[in-house]
Amino acid sequence: MKFGWTLCWSLLALPVIVVSGQDLSDPDLQSMLTEYSSEHMTESYRFSYATADGQFREETGMLMNSGTPQEELVVVGMYGYETDDGTQVMVMYVSGKGGYKAKTKFRKLAESERKKKLLSSLIG
């Protein structure tokens, strides 16, 4: 299914836009990433990243029922960020033939947790 894989590869390009909107070869932008991983398999992909300012994203895409009329690309993931007042905002989503469904959660981070994240981002 060409459409599914085209969509899949388009989704893989999205994190670069979301992370920076610029060329990631810029050293200042690279220092913002604290974690990054990406894995491409035959009928699936997975990636995740986190930035020093508390943004994060994880996503997995899988081609389901490959080679059948029921073939579809299913994408499951989450992304989030930390607000200035220490609230973590997390959006969990799933997308497939049934459409796009998302749920947003809010969690107030404890001061000790915020300090630990700040320290780990400074240490690298």
Side-chain angles (χ1 to χ4, degrees):
M1 178 174 150
K2 286 184 179 182
F3 175 74
W5 282 112
T6 301
L7 178 60
C8 176
W9 292 116
S10 297
L11 289 170
L12 289 176
L14 189 57
V16 174
I17 295 166
V18 172
V19 170
S20 67
Q22 298 178 17
D23 180 10
L24 285 178
S25 64
D26 180 338
D28 290 332
L29 295 175
Q30 288 178 352
S31 66
M32 292 174 45
L33 285 173
T34 58
E35 296 176 34
Y36 177 80
S37 69
S38 177
E39 186 177 359
H40 307 274
M41 284 90 36
T42 304
E43 294 185 350
S44 64
Y45 69 90
R46 178 179 311 177
F47 71 84
S48 65
Y49 70 81
T51 63
D53 64 357
Q55 298 178 57
F56 62 91
R57 182 169 175 184
E58 297 179 22
E59 183 173 293
T60 301
M62 299 161 281
L63 188 60
M64 307 296 287
N65 303 311
S66 180
T68 71
Q70 294 79 31
E71 183 176 281
E72 72 174 302
L73 177 64
V74 176
V75 177
V76 178
M78 67 177 170
Y79 64 89
Y81 58 94
E82 188 177 321
T83 64
D84 290 338
D85 72 352
T87 301
Q88 185 179 59
V89 180
M90 182 181 351
V91 178
M92 296 165 285
Y93 59 90
V94 63
S95 181
K97 283 187 178 179
Y100 177 84
K101 298 175 183 118
K103 185 172 190 172
T104 304
K105 300 259 185 185
F106 301 91
R107 181 173 75 112
K108 187 73 172 174
L109 298 175
E111 187 64 28
S112 60
E113 191 174 2
R114 292 182 75 197
K115 287 179 181 177
K116 182 179 175 184
K117 283 182 150 188
L118 177 62
L119 181 60
S120 66
S121 73
L122 293 174
I123 293 171

